[in-house]
Amino acid sequence: MFRQHIQNMVGIESGYLIFSLIVFMTFFVGVLWWVFKADKNYIKDMEQKPFEN
Amino acid sequence: MQVENFNYDNRIVRNFIIASVIFGVVGMLVGLIAAIQLYYPAFNFNLPYTSFGRIRPLHTNAVIFAFVGNAIFAGIYYSLQRLCKARLFSDLLSNFHFWGWQLIILAAAITLPLGMTTSHEYAELEWPIDIAIAIVWVAFGVNMIGTIIKRRERHMYVAIWFYLATFITVAVLHIVNSFELPISFTKSYMLYAGVQDALVQWWYGHNAVAFFLTTPYLGMMYYYLPKAVNRPIYSYKLSILHFWTLIFLYIWAGPHHLLYSSLPDWAQSIGVVFSIMLIAPSWGGMINGLLTLRGAWDKVRDEPVLKFFAVGVTAYGMATFEGPLLSLKNVNAIAHFTDWIVAHVHTGALGWNGLMTFGMFYWLVPKIYGTNLYSKSLANTHFWISTLGILFYAIPMYWSGFAQGMMWKEFLPEGMLKYPNFLETTLQVIPMHIMRSIGGTLFLSGVFVMIYNLMKTAATGKLIANEPASAPALEKNYIAQGANTYWHKVFERKPVTFIMITIVAILIGGMVEIIPMLTIKSNIQTISSVKPYTPLELQGRDIYIREGCVNCHSQMIRPFRSETERYGEYSKAGEYVYDHPFLWGSKRTGPDLMRVGGKYPDSWHYNHMIEPNSMSPGSIMPAYPWLAENDLNTSNTADKINAMRTLGVPYEVGFDKVAEADLMKQATKIADGLSKDGYPIEANKELVALISYLQRLGTDIKLSKTASK
C-alpha cells in the first residue's frame, strides 16, 4: 500500500504531492518552533481568559 | 482607564438553546423513522413525502444544521460575549440571525419531503435557500466580528480562533459547493459534472464535518470544559499547535471519500496521506481536553456536566482515530458504502456533538436563569441512557458494516460470488438494524429527560435577559512591549490579520486539489461513445434525484473483481462527463446501478417500482406507485436542454425546440412495449421517464464494445 502511494508520487502529478508535503512540513515546523519559543507569562495569562468574568 | 458598564445578551442564547432542543427532537425522530423503514418499509405510510430517499436528507439536515447549528450559535454567543467582555455587536443582527436560521430550517422541512433537492449530501437544499443561508451566515459573521472589534479584552482566547475559522471556512465551502444553474425556482443543475462535481462535493462534505461539526465544538470545548471543571486548559501551547495544524490539514482530506472511484490517483493519494496526518492535531485537541480533567476526576463522579464532556471528548478521539483508519485504501475497500460509515458518523454525531451539546446546556441553562440545575440525578440518568444508546447504536452498525463489506467480497472456491443476489446481504443485517433503532430510541428518550430537567430548572429561576457586567475600555494607541510582542499574541490582538492568515491556511489545500481537477483536461479522459442523455432520460434522471434514489444506490463500480463480477465493467471518469450533478452515492442499502441499463426488461422495472417485492421477494425498497400515476412535467424540457447546453453538454443548437417531440417518441416506444407485455401505461407518466433513464445507465460503454466487435 505504501509502495503504491510512493509510486504515485513519481508520476506526472508528483508535483502536487511533493508540493503539498513541503508546504505542510514548513508550516508545521514553523508553528512548532514559535510555540516552543512562547513566553511563559503570556501562556499563563492567556489560559486564564475564560475565568476573567 | 475608565471602567465601562454594559450587559450581556442572554436572551439570544436562550432562544438558540430552545430551537436546538426542539429541532434536535424532530431531527432524531425523523432519523428513527428512517431507521425503522430499513426493516419495516411500510413505515413510510406509502406516501412520497415520507419515503426513505426524501426523509434521509431531512434527518441529516435537521440534525446537522438545526440541532447542532442552533447549539453552536448558543454556545458561541454566550462565550464570545464573555471572552470579549462586550455585548453582542447588534441586537438586530442577533435577532435576524436567529429568525433567519429558523426560517431556513422550516424551508428545508418543507422542500426536502417535496423532493426538491440538489442531491449533494448535506447540501441538498435548492438555490433560493442556498442564497438565504449565505445571507444569514454573513449576518452571523458580521455580528461575531463586530463583537470582536468592539471588545474590551485585548487578546482573543483560543475558542475565538476556532469560531472565526468556522465562520470563514463554512462560508467558502457553502459558496463553492452551491455553484448551480437555476432552471426554475425549485430546480437547478450543478455547474460541475461527474468527477469534478464529486471532488467539489466531497471537499465540501468532508469539511462540513470539519468546520461545522468539529471546529466550533473544539472552540466550545476550550471554553466550557475549563469553566465546568474550574481550571485552565491543560496546555495553551498545544492549543496553538492544535488550531493551526487542524485547520490547515483538514481541507486536504476530502478525497478520502472517493477512494477507488474514478477520481485520479494523485488526488486520492493526497486525501489518504493528509487524512493519516490528521490524527496528530485531532488527538492533540482530544488530549488537551481530557488532560484538563487531570487531578479532577473526582469532580467527574459528582458533576454530570463533566461526565457528558468526558465521554464527548473521548468519542471525538475515537471518531478521529477511526477516520484516518477508514481512509487507508485497504480498510476503505471493505468499509465504504456499508453501515460502517454510518456507525463512524454516529460515533461523532451522537457522542461528540450530542453529548457535548447536552453537557453545555446543563451548564448554561442554570447560569442564564440564575439558579441551580433542577436535578443532578436526572442529568445522570440522561447521561447513562444516552451513553447506552450510543453503544446500542454503534456496535450493531459496526458489526453490520463489516459483515456487508465481507459478504460483498466473498467468493466460492469455484470462483463465483457467494452472495450473487445483493438482496441477501441486505437481509442478513436486518437484526442489526433493529438493534440500531433501539439504540436511537434510547438516545432520543434521554433528550426528553433533559427537556423536563431544563424546563424545571428554568421554572425555578428567572431569565437574566441582560446580565450586567463591567470592564475597562481598551487603550486606543496600544504599543506592545516585552512578552506581548510574541508572534501569536500579535495575531490575537489583530482579528483582521488573524482572519486573513486563516483564509490563506484553509485555501491552500482546497486550491491544490480542486484547481488541477478543473483545469487539466487529462484528468478526465473522454470516451467517444458516451453521449448526452435524451430528453426523456434527462427527465427520468431528475425523478431519480427527486426520489432520493442516490441515498441507497451508488453509481460507482470500483475496480475490484468482486464488483466487476457483480455489476460489470468498473466505472470510468469519462462516463460521467454529462452528469450534472454526479450521482455516485455514498451508501449501498441496495445494489449499485451504474450498469443496470439493459440488465432487466422494461416490464421488470415497471413491476419493481410499483411493488419491489413482486420482483425481489423480501426487498426492503419502498414502493413508488405514484410514479405510474403522476404525469411527467414536460413543460420545462426545453429549459433543461438549454441549461445543460450552457453547462457544456453538446446538444445541437435548436435541439431544445424538438426535444419535446423526441421525448414523446421515446416515451411512446417504451409505453407501447410495456402495453404489449401486458402492463398498460400511458406514455406521459413519470415512471416511463424513470425506466428510460435506468435502461440507459452504463450502456454507453457496452455499446462501444458491441460496435467494435
Short mmCIF file of all heavy atoms in Angstrom, two decimals, chain A residues 4-5 8 13 16-17 19-20 23-24 27-28 31-32 34-35 38-39 42 45-46 49-53, chain B residues 82 85 153 156-157 226-227 231 236 241 244-245 248-249 252 266 269-270 329 483 486-487 489 492 512 520:
data_model
loop_
_atom_site.label_atom_id
_atom_site.label_comp_id
_atom_site.label_asym_id
_atom_site.label_seq_id
_atom_site.Cartn_x
_atom_site.Cartn_y
_atom_site.Cartn_z
N GLN A 4 2.55 1.83 -3.17
CA GLN A 4 1.69 2.41 -4.20
C GLN A 4 1.66 3.94 -4.10
O GLN A 4 1.75 4.64 -5.10
CB GLN A 4 0.28 1.86 -4.05
CG GLN A 4 -0.61 2.26 -5.21
CD GLN A 4 -2.04 2.44 -4.77
OE1 GLN A 4 -2.46 1.89 -3.76
NE2 GLN A 4 -2.78 3.22 -5.52
N HIS A 5 1.55 4.43 -2.86
CA HIS A 5 1.50 5.88 -2.70
C HIS A 5 2.81 6.51 -3.13
O HIS A 5 2.83 7.58 -3.73
CB HIS A 5 1.18 6.26 -1.25
CG HIS A 5 -0.23 5.92 -0.89
ND1 HIS A 5 -1.29 6.43 -1.60
CD2 HIS A 5 -0.75 5.10 0.06
CE1 HIS A 5 -2.41 5.95 -1.08
NE2 HIS A 5 -2.10 5.14 -0.09
N ASN A 8 2.95 6.60 -6.81
CA ASN A 8 2.11 7.67 -7.34
C ASN A 8 2.83 8.99 -7.36
O ASN A 8 2.56 9.86 -8.15
CB ASN A 8 0.85 7.82 -6.48
CG ASN A 8 -0.23 6.87 -6.94
OD1 ASN A 8 -0.15 6.33 -8.03
ND2 ASN A 8 -1.22 6.65 -6.09
N GLU A 13 1.87 13.89 -11.93
CA GLU A 13 1.26 14.78 -10.95
C GLU A 13 2.06 14.85 -9.66
O GLU A 13 1.60 15.42 -8.68
CB GLU A 13 -0.17 14.30 -10.63
CG GLU A 13 -1.09 14.26 -11.81
CD GLU A 13 -1.06 12.91 -12.50
OE1 GLU A 13 -0.23 12.07 -12.09
OE2 GLU A 13 -1.84 12.69 -13.44
N TYR A 16 2.20 17.90 -7.20
CA TYR A 16 1.19 18.26 -6.21
C TYR A 16 1.47 17.61 -4.87
O TYR A 16 1.34 18.23 -3.82
CB TYR A 16 -0.21 17.86 -6.68
CG TYR A 16 -0.57 18.50 -7.97
CD1 TYR A 16 -0.78 17.73 -9.11
CD2 TYR A 16 -0.65 19.88 -8.07
CE1 TYR A 16 -1.07 18.32 -10.31
CE2 TYR A 16 -0.95 20.49 -9.27
CZ TYR A 16 -1.16 19.71 -10.39
OH TYR A 16 -1.45 20.30 -11.57
N LEU A 17 1.85 16.33 -4.93
CA LEU A 17 2.08 15.60 -3.68
C LEU A 17 3.29 16.16 -2.95
O LEU A 17 3.24 16.44 -1.76
CB LEU A 17 2.26 14.12 -3.97
CG LEU A 17 0.96 13.36 -4.18
CD1 LEU A 17 1.23 11.98 -4.72
CD2 LEU A 17 0.19 13.27 -2.87
N PHE A 19 4.72 19.03 -3.39
CA PHE A 19 4.45 20.42 -3.03
C PHE A 19 3.64 20.48 -1.74
O PHE A 19 3.96 21.21 -0.81
CB PHE A 19 3.68 21.10 -4.17
CG PHE A 19 3.13 22.45 -3.79
CD1 PHE A 19 3.96 23.55 -3.66
CD2 PHE A 19 1.76 22.62 -3.56
CE1 PHE A 19 3.44 24.80 -3.31
CE2 PHE A 19 1.24 23.85 -3.21
CZ PHE A 19 2.09 24.95 -3.08
N SER A 20 2.56 19.63 -1.68
CA SER A 20 1.70 19.71 -0.51
C SER A 20 2.45 19.28 0.74
O SER A 20 2.29 19.86 1.81
CB SER A 20 0.45 18.87 -0.71
OG SER A 20 0.76 17.62 -1.24
N VAL A 23 4.87 22.11 1.73
CA VAL A 23 4.14 23.24 2.30
C VAL A 23 3.72 22.93 3.72
O VAL A 23 3.92 23.72 4.64
CB VAL A 23 2.89 23.58 1.43
CG1 VAL A 23 1.98 24.55 2.17
CG2 VAL A 23 3.31 24.17 0.11
N PHE A 24 3.18 21.74 3.92
CA PHE A 24 2.70 21.42 5.26
C PHE A 24 3.85 21.33 6.26
O PHE A 24 3.76 21.86 7.36
CB PHE A 24 1.91 20.11 5.29
CG PHE A 24 1.55 19.74 6.70
CD1 PHE A 24 0.59 20.47 7.38
CD2 PHE A 24 2.21 18.73 7.37
CE1 PHE A 24 0.29 20.20 8.70
CE2 PHE A 24 1.92 18.45 8.69
CZ PHE A 24 0.94 19.18 9.35
N PHE A 27 5.11 24.67 7.26
CA PHE A 27 4.10 25.29 8.11
C PHE A 27 4.16 24.73 9.52
O PHE A 27 4.22 25.44 10.51
CB PHE A 27 2.73 25.02 7.47
CG PHE A 27 1.58 25.66 8.19
CD1 PHE A 27 1.25 26.99 7.95
CD2 PHE A 27 0.80 24.93 9.07
CE1 PHE A 27 0.18 27.58 8.59
CE2 PHE A 27 -0.27 25.51 9.72
CZ PHE A 27 -0.57 26.84 9.47
N PHE A 28 4.21 23.39 9.60
CA PHE A 28 4.17 22.71 10.88
C PHE A 28 5.41 23.03 11.71
O PHE A 28 5.31 23.39 12.88
CB PHE A 28 4.06 21.20 10.65
CG PHE A 28 3.98 20.39 11.90
CD1 PHE A 28 2.80 20.36 12.64
CD2 PHE A 28 5.08 19.69 12.37
CE1 PHE A 28 2.72 19.63 13.81
CE2 PHE A 28 5.01 18.96 13.54
CZ PHE A 28 3.82 18.93 14.26
N VAL A 31 5.25 26.59 13.02
CA VAL A 31 4.35 26.78 14.17
C VAL A 31 4.97 26.16 15.42
O VAL A 31 4.96 26.75 16.50
CB VAL A 31 2.96 26.14 13.89
CG1 VAL A 31 2.06 26.24 15.12
CG2 VAL A 31 2.28 26.83 12.72
N LEU A 32 5.56 24.97 15.24
CA LEU A 32 6.15 24.25 16.38
C LEU A 32 7.27 25.09 17.00
O LEU A 32 7.36 25.26 18.21
CB LEU A 32 6.70 22.91 15.88
CG LEU A 32 6.91 21.84 16.93
CD1 LEU A 32 5.58 21.41 17.51
CD2 LEU A 32 7.61 20.63 16.33
N TRP A 34 7.79 28.34 16.89
CA TRP A 34 7.29 29.52 17.58
C TRP A 34 6.60 29.15 18.90
O TRP A 34 6.73 29.87 19.88
CB TRP A 34 6.32 30.28 16.68
CG TRP A 34 7.04 31.10 15.66
CD1 TRP A 34 7.13 30.86 14.33
CD2 TRP A 34 7.81 32.28 15.90
NE1 TRP A 34 7.89 31.81 13.71
CE2 TRP A 34 8.33 32.70 14.65
CE3 TRP A 34 8.13 33.01 17.04
CZ2 TRP A 34 9.13 33.82 14.52
CZ3 TRP A 34 8.93 34.14 16.90
CH2 TRP A 34 9.42 34.53 15.65
N VAL A 35 5.89 28.03 18.87
CA VAL A 35 5.20 27.63 20.10
C VAL A 35 6.21 27.34 21.20
O VAL A 35 6.04 27.73 22.35
CB VAL A 35 4.30 26.41 19.83
CG1 VAL A 35 3.91 25.74 21.14
CG2 VAL A 35 3.05 26.83 19.09
N ALA A 38 7.49 30.30 22.93
CA ALA A 38 6.49 31.14 23.58
C ALA A 38 6.90 31.53 25.01
O ALA A 38 7.48 30.75 25.74
CB ALA A 38 5.16 30.42 23.61
N ASP A 39 6.54 32.76 25.35
CA ASP A 39 6.84 33.28 26.67
C ASP A 39 5.90 32.67 27.71
O ASP A 39 4.69 32.58 27.48
CB ASP A 39 6.66 34.80 26.62
CG ASP A 39 6.99 35.43 27.94
OD1 ASP A 39 8.17 35.72 28.15
OD2 ASP A 39 6.06 35.60 28.76
N TYR A 42 3.05 34.88 29.06
CA TYR A 42 1.99 35.05 28.05
C TYR A 42 1.04 33.87 28.10
O TYR A 42 -0.19 34.03 28.12
CB TYR A 42 2.64 35.20 26.67
CG TYR A 42 1.80 34.69 25.54
CD1 TYR A 42 0.69 35.41 25.10
CD2 TYR A 42 2.11 33.49 24.90
CE1 TYR A 42 -0.08 34.94 24.07
CE2 TYR A 42 1.34 33.02 23.87
CZ TYR A 42 0.24 33.74 23.45
OH TYR A 42 -0.53 33.27 22.44
N ASP A 45 -1.10 33.94 31.13
CA ASP A 45 -2.10 34.99 31.01
C ASP A 45 -3.26 34.52 30.12
O ASP A 45 -4.43 34.67 30.47
CB ASP A 45 -1.39 36.21 30.39
CG ASP A 45 -2.34 37.35 30.16
OD1 ASP A 45 -3.16 37.59 31.06
OD2 ASP A 45 -2.28 37.98 29.09
N MET A 46 -2.93 33.93 28.99
CA MET A 46 -3.97 33.54 28.03
C MET A 46 -4.88 32.44 28.58
O MET A 46 -6.08 32.46 28.37
CB MET A 46 -3.32 33.06 26.72
CG MET A 46 -2.79 34.15 25.83
SD MET A 46 -3.95 35.50 25.51
CE MET A 46 -5.10 34.72 24.39
N LYS A 49 -8.01 33.42 30.55
CA LYS A 49 -9.05 34.26 29.95
C LYS A 49 -10.49 33.82 30.27
O LYS A 49 -11.33 34.67 30.56
CB LYS A 49 -8.87 34.35 28.43
CG LYS A 49 -7.61 35.07 27.99
CD LYS A 49 -7.67 36.56 28.22
CE LYS A 49 -6.32 37.19 27.87
NZ LYS A 49 -6.05 38.39 28.63
N PRO A 50 -10.81 32.53 30.23
CA PRO A 50 -12.20 32.16 30.49
C PRO A 50 -12.65 32.50 31.92
O PRO A 50 -13.85 32.52 32.19
CB PRO A 50 -12.23 30.65 30.28
CG PRO A 50 -11.04 30.35 29.45
CD PRO A 50 -10.01 31.37 29.82
N PHE A 51 -11.71 32.74 32.81
CA PHE A 51 -12.09 32.92 34.22
C PHE A 51 -12.17 34.38 34.62
O PHE A 51 -12.35 34.72 35.77
CB PHE A 51 -11.11 32.18 35.12
CG PHE A 51 -11.00 30.74 34.77
CD1 PHE A 51 -9.93 30.26 34.02
CD2 PHE A 51 -12.01 29.85 35.13
CE1 PHE A 51 -9.86 28.93 33.65
CE2 PHE A 51 -11.94 28.52 34.77
CZ PHE A 51 -10.86 28.05 34.02
N GLU A 52 -11.99 35.26 33.63
CA GLU A 52 -11.94 36.68 33.98
C GLU A 52 -13.32 37.31 34.15
O GLU A 52 -13.44 38.50 34.34
CB GLU A 52 -11.10 37.44 32.94
CG GLU A 52 -9.61 37.12 33.10
CD GLU A 52 -8.75 37.81 32.07
OE1 GLU A 52 -9.27 38.68 31.35
OE2 GLU A 52 -7.55 37.48 32.01
N ASN A 53 -14.37 36.53 33.96
CA ASN A 53 -15.70 37.10 34.20
C ASN A 53 -16.64 36.02 34.72
O ASN A 53 -16.35 34.86 34.62
CB ASN A 53 -16.28 37.70 32.93
CG ASN A 53 -16.18 36.75 31.78
OD1 ASN A 53 -16.81 35.69 31.79
ND2 ASN A 53 -15.35 37.07 30.81
N ARG B 82 -18.47 36.92 26.74
CA ARG B 82 -17.64 36.93 27.96
C ARG B 82 -16.16 37.05 27.62
O ARG B 82 -15.41 37.75 28.30
CB ARG B 82 -17.88 35.66 28.78
CG ARG B 82 -19.03 35.83 29.76
CD ARG B 82 -20.27 35.15 29.29
NE ARG B 82 -21.44 35.46 30.11
CZ ARG B 82 -22.65 35.66 29.60
NH1 ARG B 82 -22.85 35.60 28.29
NH2 ARG B 82 -23.67 35.91 30.37
N LYS B 85 -15.61 40.51 26.61
CA LYS B 85 -16.11 41.48 27.58
C LYS B 85 -16.92 42.56 26.87
O LYS B 85 -16.69 43.77 27.02
CB LYS B 85 -14.96 42.12 28.36
CG LYS B 85 -14.20 41.10 29.21
CD LYS B 85 -13.34 41.78 30.24
CE LYS B 85 -12.59 40.75 31.06
NZ LYS B 85 -11.15 40.83 30.88
N GLU B 153 -11.26 43.29 25.74
CA GLU B 153 -10.18 42.36 26.10
C GLU B 153 -9.21 42.36 24.93
O GLU B 153 -9.60 42.11 23.80
CB GLU B 153 -10.80 40.96 26.32
CG GLU B 153 -9.82 39.81 26.30
CD GLU B 153 -8.73 39.97 27.33
OE1 GLU B 153 -9.06 40.11 28.51
OE2 GLU B 153 -7.54 39.95 26.94
N MET B 156 -7.50 37.63 21.88
CA MET B 156 -8.55 36.66 21.58
C MET B 156 -8.12 35.28 22.08
O MET B 156 -7.12 34.73 21.63
CB MET B 156 -8.79 36.59 20.07
CG MET B 156 -9.32 37.87 19.48
SD MET B 156 -9.80 37.62 17.76
CE MET B 156 -8.24 37.24 16.99
N TYR B 157 -8.91 34.73 22.99
CA TYR B 157 -8.66 33.39 23.53
C TYR B 157 -8.86 32.34 22.43
O TYR B 157 -9.59 32.58 21.46
CB TYR B 157 -9.63 33.16 24.69
CG TYR B 157 -9.53 31.82 25.38
CD1 TYR B 157 -8.39 31.46 26.10
CD2 TYR B 157 -10.59 30.91 25.33
CE1 TYR B 157 -8.31 30.24 26.73
CE2 TYR B 157 -10.52 29.68 25.97
CZ TYR B 157 -9.38 29.35 26.67
OH TYR B 157 -9.30 28.14 27.29
N PRO B 226 -12.91 24.07 30.65
CA PRO B 226 -12.23 24.72 31.79
C PRO B 226 -13.22 25.39 32.75
O PRO B 226 -13.03 25.33 33.97
CB PRO B 226 -11.35 25.78 31.12
CG PRO B 226 -11.13 25.28 29.74
CD PRO B 226 -12.39 24.55 29.36
N LYS B 227 -14.27 26.00 32.22
CA LYS B 227 -15.25 26.65 33.10
C LYS B 227 -15.91 25.62 34.02
O LYS B 227 -16.06 25.84 35.22
CB LYS B 227 -16.34 27.34 32.27
CG LYS B 227 -15.90 28.63 31.60
CD LYS B 227 -15.57 29.72 32.59
CE LYS B 227 -16.70 30.70 32.78
NZ LYS B 227 -16.24 31.87 33.57
N ARG B 231 -10.65 24.98 36.10
CA ARG B 231 -9.19 25.04 35.99
C ARG B 231 -8.84 25.28 34.52
O ARG B 231 -9.61 24.92 33.64
CB ARG B 231 -8.55 23.76 36.52
CG ARG B 231 -9.06 22.49 35.86
CD ARG B 231 -8.32 21.29 36.35
NE ARG B 231 -8.49 21.14 37.79
CZ ARG B 231 -7.65 20.46 38.55
NH1 ARG B 231 -6.59 19.89 38.02
NH2 ARG B 231 -7.87 20.33 39.84
N TYR B 236 -1.96 25.52 26.79
CA TYR B 236 -2.33 26.55 25.83
C TYR B 236 -1.43 26.50 24.61
O TYR B 236 -1.85 26.77 23.49
CB TYR B 236 -2.25 27.93 26.49
CG TYR B 236 -2.97 29.00 25.71
CD1 TYR B 236 -4.35 29.13 25.77
CD2 TYR B 236 -2.26 29.86 24.87
CE1 TYR B 236 -5.01 30.08 25.03
CE2 TYR B 236 -2.92 30.83 24.13
CZ TYR B 236 -4.29 30.94 24.22
OH TYR B 236 -4.96 31.89 23.47
N LEU B 241 -0.84 24.99 18.51
CA LEU B 241 -0.41 23.98 17.52
C LEU B 241 -1.64 23.25 16.97
O LEU B 241 -1.76 23.02 15.77
CB LEU B 241 0.52 23.00 18.22
CG LEU B 241 1.42 22.15 17.33
CD1 LEU B 241 2.37 23.02 16.53
CD2 LEU B 241 2.20 21.15 18.17
N TRP B 244 -3.73 25.61 14.41
CA TRP B 244 -3.17 25.88 13.08
C TRP B 244 -3.02 24.62 12.25
O TRP B 244 -3.30 24.61 11.06
CB TRP B 244 -1.84 26.64 13.20
CG TRP B 244 -2.07 28.07 13.62
CD1 TRP B 244 -1.78 28.61 14.83
CD2 TRP B 244 -2.68 29.10 12.85
NE1 TRP B 244 -2.17 29.93 14.87
CE2 TRP B 244 -2.72 30.27 13.66
CE3 TRP B 244 -3.21 29.17 11.56
CZ2 TRP B 244 -3.26 31.47 13.22
CZ3 TRP B 244 -3.75 30.38 11.12
CH2 TRP B 244 -3.76 31.50 11.94
N THR B 245 -2.56 23.54 12.87
CA THR B 245 -2.36 22.32 12.07
C THR B 245 -3.72 21.73 11.68
O THR B 245 -3.87 21.22 10.58
CB THR B 245 -1.55 21.26 12.84
OG1 THR B 245 -2.04 21.18 14.15
CG2 THR B 245 -0.09 21.60 12.86
N PHE B 248 -5.30 23.73 8.85
CA PHE B 248 -4.51 23.60 7.63
C PHE B 248 -4.69 22.22 7.00
O PHE B 248 -4.86 22.09 5.79
CB PHE B 248 -3.03 23.84 7.96
CG PHE B 248 -2.15 23.90 6.74
CD1 PHE B 248 -1.97 25.10 6.07
CD2 PHE B 248 -1.52 22.77 6.26
CE1 PHE B 248 -1.18 25.15 4.93
CE2 PHE B 248 -0.73 22.82 5.12
CZ PHE B 248 -0.55 24.02 4.45
N LEU B 249 -4.69 21.19 7.84
CA LEU B 249 -4.72 19.82 7.31
C LEU B 249 -6.10 19.36 6.85
O LEU B 249 -6.22 18.62 5.88
CB LEU B 249 -4.25 18.84 8.40
CG LEU B 249 -2.75 18.68 8.60
CD1 LEU B 249 -2.50 17.67 9.71
CD2 LEU B 249 -2.10 18.20 7.31
N TRP B 252 -7.42 19.26 3.14
CA TRP B 252 -6.82 18.40 2.11
C TRP B 252 -7.46 17.02 2.05
O TRP B 252 -7.28 16.28 1.09
CB TRP B 252 -5.33 18.18 2.39
CG TRP B 252 -4.50 19.41 2.44
CD1 TRP B 252 -4.47 20.36 3.41
CD2 TRP B 252 -3.52 19.82 1.47
NE1 TRP B 252 -3.55 21.33 3.12
CE2 TRP B 252 -2.95 21.02 1.93
CE3 TRP B 252 -3.06 19.27 0.27
CZ2 TRP B 252 -1.96 21.69 1.22
CZ3 TRP B 252 -2.07 19.93 -0.43
CH2 TRP B 252 -1.53 21.12 0.05
N TRP B 266 -3.71 10.59 -8.12
CA TRP B 266 -2.93 11.55 -7.33
C TRP B 266 -3.82 12.24 -6.31
O TRP B 266 -3.40 12.49 -5.18
CB TRP B 266 -2.24 12.58 -8.24
CG TRP B 266 -3.16 13.46 -9.04
CD1 TRP B 266 -3.56 13.25 -10.32
CD2 TRP B 266 -3.80 14.67 -8.61
NE1 TRP B 266 -4.41 14.24 -10.73
CE2 TRP B 266 -4.58 15.14 -9.71
CE3 TRP B 266 -3.81 15.41 -7.44
CZ2 TRP B 266 -5.35 16.31 -9.65
CZ3 TRP B 266 -4.57 16.57 -7.38
CH2 TRP B 266 -5.33 17.01 -8.47
N SER B 269 -4.47 9.90 -3.47
CA SER B 269 -3.30 9.76 -2.60
C SER B 269 -3.15 10.95 -1.67
O SER B 269 -2.83 10.78 -0.49
CB SER B 269 -2.03 9.61 -3.45
OG SER B 269 -2.04 8.33 -4.04
N ILE B 270 -3.39 12.16 -2.18
CA ILE B 270 -3.33 13.34 -1.30
C ILE B 270 -4.32 13.16 -0.15
O ILE B 270 -4.00 13.39 1.02
CB ILE B 270 -3.67 14.63 -2.08
CG1 ILE B 270 -2.52 15.01 -3.00
CG2 ILE B 270 -3.96 15.77 -1.12
CD1 ILE B 270 -2.70 16.36 -3.68
N LYS B 329 -6.58 2.74 2.08
CA LYS B 329 -7.32 2.16 0.96
C LYS B 329 -7.82 0.74 1.26
O LYS B 329 -8.92 0.37 0.87
CB LYS B 329 -6.47 2.18 -0.31
CG LYS B 329 -6.43 3.57 -0.95
CD LYS B 329 -5.72 3.56 -2.28
CE LYS B 329 -6.71 3.84 -3.40
NZ LYS B 329 -6.05 3.99 -4.70
N ALA B 483 6.75 40.60 26.59
CA ALA B 483 6.13 39.34 26.21
C ALA B 483 5.02 39.54 25.19
O ALA B 483 4.71 38.65 24.41
CB ALA B 483 5.56 38.65 27.44
N TYR B 486 5.28 38.71 21.37
CA TYR B 486 5.31 37.33 20.90
C TYR B 486 4.38 37.18 19.70
O TYR B 486 3.26 37.72 19.69
CB TYR B 486 4.86 36.42 22.06
CG TYR B 486 4.68 34.98 21.67
CD1 TYR B 486 5.77 34.24 21.22
CD2 TYR B 486 3.45 34.37 21.74
CE1 TYR B 486 5.61 32.93 20.85
CE2 TYR B 486 3.28 33.06 21.38
CZ TYR B 486 4.36 32.35 20.93
OH TYR B 486 4.19 31.04 20.56
N TRP B 487 4.84 36.43 18.70
CA TRP B 487 4.14 36.45 17.40
C TRP B 487 2.65 36.14 17.48
O TRP B 487 1.83 36.80 16.89
CB TRP B 487 4.82 35.48 16.43
CG TRP B 487 4.52 34.04 16.75
CD1 TRP B 487 5.07 33.31 17.75
CD2 TRP B 487 3.58 33.20 16.11
NE1 TRP B 487 4.55 32.06 17.78
CE2 TRP B 487 3.62 31.95 16.78
CE3 TRP B 487 2.69 33.36 15.05
CZ2 TRP B 487 2.81 30.89 16.42
CZ3 TRP B 487 1.89 32.29 14.69
CH2 TRP B 487 1.95 31.06 15.38
N LYS B 489 0.67 36.40 19.93
CA LYS B 489 -0.05 37.42 20.68
C LYS B 489 -0.42 38.57 19.73
O LYS B 489 -1.44 39.23 19.90
CB LYS B 489 0.83 37.92 21.82
CG LYS B 489 0.01 38.52 22.93
CD LYS B 489 0.55 38.19 24.29
CE LYS B 489 -0.49 38.63 25.30
NZ LYS B 489 -0.27 38.20 26.62
N GLU B 492 -3.48 37.56 17.98
CA GLU B 492 -4.62 37.55 18.89
C GLU B 492 -5.15 38.95 19.16
O GLU B 492 -6.27 39.12 19.61
CB GLU B 492 -4.22 36.86 20.20
CG GLU B 492 -4.14 35.35 20.02
CD GLU B 492 -3.29 34.70 21.08
OE1 GLU B 492 -2.70 35.41 21.90
OE2 GLU B 492 -3.21 33.46 21.07
N VAL B 512 -4.96 23.36 -4.18
CA VAL B 512 -4.07 22.35 -4.77
C VAL B 512 -4.88 21.18 -5.31
O VAL B 512 -4.56 20.59 -6.34
CB VAL B 512 -3.04 21.87 -3.73
CG1 VAL B 512 -2.24 20.69 -4.27
CG2 VAL B 512 -2.11 23.00 -3.36
N ILE B 520 -7.02 20.86 -15.78
CA ILE B 520 -6.20 19.96 -16.59
C ILE B 520 -7.10 18.89 -17.23
O ILE B 520 -7.70 18.07 -16.54
CB ILE B 520 -5.09 19.31 -15.73
CG1 ILE B 520 -4.23 20.40 -15.12
CG2 ILE B 520 -4.24 18.38 -16.59
CD1 ILE B 520 -3.20 19.91 -14.14
#
